[in-house]
């Protein structure tokens, strides 16, 4: 369990590098894909809900500390995203959930939740239309992240997935 | 008792952990300005920024070739403008001396590169590779050749984090360059908007917005953007004015930090007042 956890933290570091240095080249307006969330959903499906929740918390804490954002906002959103993704960690159905479109849908669900919670805590501005805000800050980044997730999981070796 | 607790834990451990972690997150959210939290953050981001600086150097070197070509052209255009401005500068100095006005101070610039970016819709932050050792302090304005980028927020020895214009926590006093109307600039999560502009104010689409002289954060006129729309709702007493920033925050790589925090004179006055009060005591 400890090795698994350390490994997932070690994998997080290069993904965080990508998120804060290279992701700027593939932004669409202010909308960016969330690679950290893709990794979090993957681990949550693999190792269960409790694992995903704790891992989400740790990822959020590190992200907040390193990027200088509002400390606690990413912690909260990733914790909830890990918890939601953990619902799909059934051992008998894991191979189904890790198929590109199923995985993309799970990422979409988690990403929308995480984006909305993150934006609620970082943009408390009631002057903007709530529907527009939910669309721009929740749905659009979620859709972009899920498309990227589908592409990544599509090229991930299937045999390796099924073996593990 | 232990058995009951154990069975309760086994049944609901996911929910218990979730609630605990949410509470910890909320507690952390409410303690963001704690000095201990700030210190931990400085250590974390400065140690990580060292590595992201290396990656950023590698990626940016591939883009340099294309930029060089564009910059050479810009350089030639600027050279022509500089000649013109030099002429105006001499005239300006002569006129000022005739009117016996004191000249405004020029501020030294600290050059820096963007090491990493936290891009999201609400709270954009950039990490720069200049810190305390270069003379950077929290509150200093950050600019590039096009205009204002943001304000320095946290500083470590070699790195600093800035809150960009696309950060909901950043609010700057600005003015319309043409009509001199002052307003507060903020990012609402979607757009850069000007608040507190009465409907009767003289503002037009296309007007240039610069930082205001009355701003305590950026008290010198730095270009910020231009007005793209004015939402004139009949129910409000204020206009909702949308701004487009001159600087493209998604592609910015090299910036300059203006080595100033507040108006020097205001600081000096406050310092004198403070000294007088102390000596009186």
């Amino acid at each position: 369990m400890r090795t698994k956890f350390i490994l997932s933290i070690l994998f997080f570091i290069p993904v965080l590098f990508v998120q804060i240095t290279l992701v700027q080249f593939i932004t669409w307006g202010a909308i960016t894909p969330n690679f950290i969330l893709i990794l979090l959903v993957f681990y949550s499906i693999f190792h269960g809900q409790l694992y995903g929740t704790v891992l989400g918390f740790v990822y959020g804490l590190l992200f907040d500390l390193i990027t200088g954002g509002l400390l606690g906002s990413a912690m909260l959103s990733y914790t909830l995203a890990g918890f939601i993704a953990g619902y799909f960690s059934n051992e008998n159905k894991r191979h189904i959930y890790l198929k590109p479109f199923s995985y993309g849908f799970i990422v979409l669900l988690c990403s929308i939740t995480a984006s909305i919670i993150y934006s609620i805590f970082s943009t408390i501005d009631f002057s903007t239309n709530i529907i527009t805000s939910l669309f721009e800050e929740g749905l659009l980044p979620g859709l972009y992240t899920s498309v990227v997730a589908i592409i990544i999981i599509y090229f991930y070796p299937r045999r390796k997935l099924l073996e593990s | 008792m232990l058995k009951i607790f154990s069975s309760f834990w086994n049944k609901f451990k996911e929910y218990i952990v979730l609630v605990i972690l949410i509470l910890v997150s909320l507690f952390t959210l409410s303690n963001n300005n704690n000095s201990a939290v700030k210190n931990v953050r400085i250590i974390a981001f400065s140690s990580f920024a060292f590595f992201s600086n290396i990656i950023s150097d590698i990626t940016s070197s591939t883009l340099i070739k294309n930029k060089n070509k564009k910059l050479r052209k810009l350089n030639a255009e600027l050279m022509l403008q500089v000649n013109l401005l030099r002429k105006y500068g001499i005239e300006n100095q002569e006129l000022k001396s005739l009117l016996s006005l004191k000249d405004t101070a020029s501020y030294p610039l600290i050059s820096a590169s963007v090491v990493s970016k936290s891009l999201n819709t609400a709270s954009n932050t950039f990490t720069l590779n200049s810190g305390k050792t270069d003379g950077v302090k929290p509150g200093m304005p950050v600019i590039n050749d096009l205009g204002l980028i943001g304000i320095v927020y946290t500083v470590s020895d070699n790195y600093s984090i800035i809150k960009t214009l696309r950060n909901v926590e950043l609010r700057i006093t600005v003015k319309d360059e043409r009509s001199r109307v002052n307003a507060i600039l903020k990012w609402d999560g979607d757009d850069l908007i000007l608040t507190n502009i009465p409907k009767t104010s003289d503002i037009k689409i296309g007007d240039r917005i610069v930082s205001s002289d009355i701003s305590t954060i950026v008290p010198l006129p730095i270009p910020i953007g231009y007005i793209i729309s004015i939402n004139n709702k009949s129910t409000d007493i204020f206009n909702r004015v949308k701004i487009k920033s001159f600087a493209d925050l998604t592609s910015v790589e090299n910036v300059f930090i203006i080595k100033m925090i507040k108006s020097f004179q205001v600081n000096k006055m406050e310092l004198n007042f403070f000294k007088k009060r102390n000596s009186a005591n």
Side-chain angles (χ1 to χ4, degrees), chain A residues 16-17 20-22 24-25 32 49-50 66-71 87 118 121-123 125 128 136-137, chain B residues 14-15 17 28-29 32 37 41 45 48 51-52 55 59 63 115-117 119-121 125 168 186 188 190:
Chain A
L16 183 60
F17 271 121
I20 62 173
T21 54
L22 303 175
Q24 53 178 302
F25 300 113
T32 52
Q49 197 169 35
L50 188 66
I66 288 161
T67 57
L70 189 67
L71 195 68
Y87 275 114
Y118 189 80
F121 281 95
S122 30
T123 30
D125 189 352
T128 50
E136 287 177 354
E137 290 163 31
Chain B
E14 287 86 1
Y15 296 95
V17 170
T28 320
L29 265 168
N32 253 278
V37 173
R41 182 181 282 174
F45 92 76
F48 196 81
F51 297 104
S52 42
I55 293 176
T59 51
L63 301 168
V115 167
S116 66
K117 293 176 182 177
L119 297 169
N120 57 59
T121 47
T125 54
V168 287
K186 68 168 189 175
D188 70 348
D190 300 319

Side-chain angles (χ1 to χ4, degrees), chain A residues 130-151:
Chain A
I130 192 145
I131 304 294
T132 319
S133 295
L134 290 179
F135 181 74
E136 287 177 354
E137 290 163 31
L139 193 64
L140 287 181
L143 275 171
Y144 197 3
T145 307
S146 67
V147 168
V148 174
I150 289 170
I151 295 166

Side-chain angles (χ1 to χ4, degrees), chain B residues 87-106:
Chain B
K87 192 184 129 196
Y88 292 152
I90 295 163
E91 278 176 14
N92 192 24
Q93 270 180 0
E94 283 171 5
L95 290 169
K96 272 186 176 172
S97 64
L98 284 172
L99 290 166
S100 66
L101 279 176
K102 278 170 194 160
D103 206 355
T104 48
S106 61

